[in-house]
Every structure is written in C-alpha cells, then in structure tokens.
Amino acid sequence: MTLYLYALAAVFGLAIGSFLNVVIHRVPRGLSIARPRSFCPRCGRSISWRENVPVVSYVALRARCAGCGAPIPARYPLVEAAGGALAVLSVLRFGFTLDAAFAYAFLMALLAVTLIDWDFRIIPDRISIPFIAAGLVWSLMSPRLSLAGSALGALVGGGALLAVGELYRLARKVEGMGGGDVKLMAMIGAFLGVRLILPVILVAAFAGSIYGLALMKRGHGGKTAVAFGSFLAPAAAVCLFVGEALVSWYLGGL
C-alpha cells in the first residue's frame, strides 16, 4: 500500500512538473498560465494531451514537435522528472501529511524561481509574494514552526539580504542585490524560520562563489553578473531537508 501511495505521489509530481514548465515559460513574459492551452513556442500549434504526457511524450516524439519538427529542449522532461522526484522526497521527509503538501509547493516555487532567474535575471512577484503568505499559513497548521517564527524569518530573511545589498552598493557603487532577491529571501524565511536563514545564505554564497570562480577561470572577468536567486532557491531546498542537521552539526562542533 505504501509503495502504491509513493507511486501516486510520483505521478502527481510529474503532472505538477509539466504545469511548472508552463509557469517558467509564461510568467516572466507576462503571459497567463491558464490560457491558451499548451502550444509549441516555435509554430504556435496547440499541443494535444497525447503529446503532453510528462516525460513519456518527450521520448515518444523523439524530442521534436509533432507539427513543425522543432527540437524540444531537454529541460522540459527534466523539470517534469524533478516534479515527480521532489513529490516523493517530500512524502519521505514529512509523510503523507499537510506538511508534505506545503513543503512540495515550496519546492516547486523554488524550482520555478531558480530557472526563471537563471534565464531572465528576475524573480517574479507573482511567485514570491503569494508564497510569503503561504509560509505564514503553513506555520498556523504545522507543529514545525510558529507564526511568530515564520513572520520573524520573513522579516530577518528579507532584511538581511537588503542590508547586504545596501552595504555592497555603498562599497562598490553598483547594485548588489535586487528587490526580487530580497522578497525571495523573505519567502524562504517564512517557510524555514529565522533559525535557517544563515545556513541558506551561506550555502548559496558558497555555491555562487564556486560558480563565480569558474566564470573567472574561463576569462569572463570579476564583474560578471550572477543570478543569486538561482543559488538561494536551491540552497533553501537543501536546508528544508537537512538544514536543522547542518545547524546541529555546526553548534555541536563549537
């Protein structure tokens, strides 16, 4: 029975991953996520349900549009597969509970933010602001976090990044942190609480530094813009699962 429920979670996650592809493509372009139905970005042809089965259709169509033959980016099935995998991981971590549902919604928002920020250097308010509210609502229903802890996490998370960006601006005379990053960190704080703010920032900064060094090694120079939200969001996903263990490990070593 348990395996059956995990399979259902995976199938549900694959479907949500398919919808997330729509969000990632349309939201940064200011398009509706409800209408029109899915279509090929190249030829504009509507995609039938047979061509829109997560992962399976990509393989069956040999990664090409059935209408115009344009290549279908590998990102589409990868996002769908990630949706399924994260659904199963959420259930493994939180059980078949409301916590798992909120955690999964949070992870999907983080995945959308990662890819949108990577492509467009923006973090849409249409994602971050509603999910700040969702984090506060979760705190009312979950024993993991109090409403005060969630609200403080949002304030400290957003405030910390705002302060870092302002200090960077004063020191370097250029913008160091966009408003989207600040609102994203408030969203993360609302879901994870104030205790995990520092681990998220440290993990993101470490990953971003490695990427920055790789760019410099390729000769891109030290002023290449880095989409920090694309590192904050994955760092938050990591800390959702192992953040408390990281904090306990660090405090235990002091």
Side-chain angles (χ1 to χ4, degrees):
M1 183 64 177
T2 301
L3 287 177
Y4 174 73
L5 291 174
Y6 283 129
L8 282 179
V11 170
F12 172 79
L14 286 167
I16 296 299
S18 181
F19 172 70
L20 202 69
N21 278 319
V22 175
V23 172
I24 293 166
H25 177 79
R26 297 189 187 187
V27 166
R29 293 174 171 85
L31 303 174
S32 169
I33 61 174
R35 294 184 178 85
R37 60 183 295 176
S38 296
F39 59 90
C40 172
R42 179 70 64 86
C43 66
R45 172 180 167 274
S46 293
I47 298 172
S48 70
W49 70 267
R50 293 181 182 84
E51 302 166 54
N52 211 20
V53 179
V55 181
V56 174
S57 291
Y58 179 84
V59 175
L61 292 169
R62 299 183 180 180
R64 292 193 174 275
C65 171
C68 65
I72 301 173
R75 174 186 287 185
Y76 285 90
L78 290 175
V79 169
E80 291 165 351
L86 290 172
V88 173
L89 285 175
S90 298
V91 172
L92 284 171
R93 173 65 177 82
F94 297 100
F96 293 96
T97 64
L98 193 59
D99 278 347
F102 272 95
Y104 180 64
F106 178 54
L107 290 168
M108 290 295 94
L110 293 174
L111 179 55
V113 164
T114 299
L115 297 176
I116 291 172
D117 195 34
W118 187 264
D119 286 342
F120 295 91
R121 298 294 193 270
I122 59 171
I123 300 174
D125 288 350
R126 288 170 66 183
I127 296 176
S128 56
I129 291 178
F131 272 88
I132 293 173
L136 295 171
V137 171
W138 186 21
S139 72
L140 294 173
M141 303 178 180
S142 172
R144 295 182 62 257
L145 188 63
S146 67
L147 176 60
S150 177
L152 187 59
L155 289 172
V156 172
L161 226 58
L162 183 64
V164 169
E166 186 63 18
L167 289 173
Y168 186 90
R169 186 185 67 80
L170 291 173
R172 301 291 296 272
K173 310 302 181 186
V174 293
E175 285 295 327
M177 205 69 64
D181 294 313
V182 172
K183 282 173 271 193
L184 171 62
M185 199 62 218
M187 166 187 140
I188 291 169
F191 269 90
L192 300 185
V194 69
R195 180 177 166 88
L196 295 184
I197 293 297
L198 184 58
V200 169
I201 293 175
L202 290 177
V203 170
F206 177 75
S209 297
I210 297 297
Y211 176 71
L213 289 172
L215 286 180
M216 292 174 66
K217 191 173 181 180
R218 291 182 179 181
H220 289 277
K223 293 186 178 181
T224 302
V226 174
F228 192 47
S230 292
F231 297 95
L232 275 176
V238 169
C239 288
L240 175 67
F241 290 105
V242 300
E244 288 295 341
L246 287 174
V247 170
S248 297
W249 170 77
Y250 177 76
L251 294 177
L254 292 179

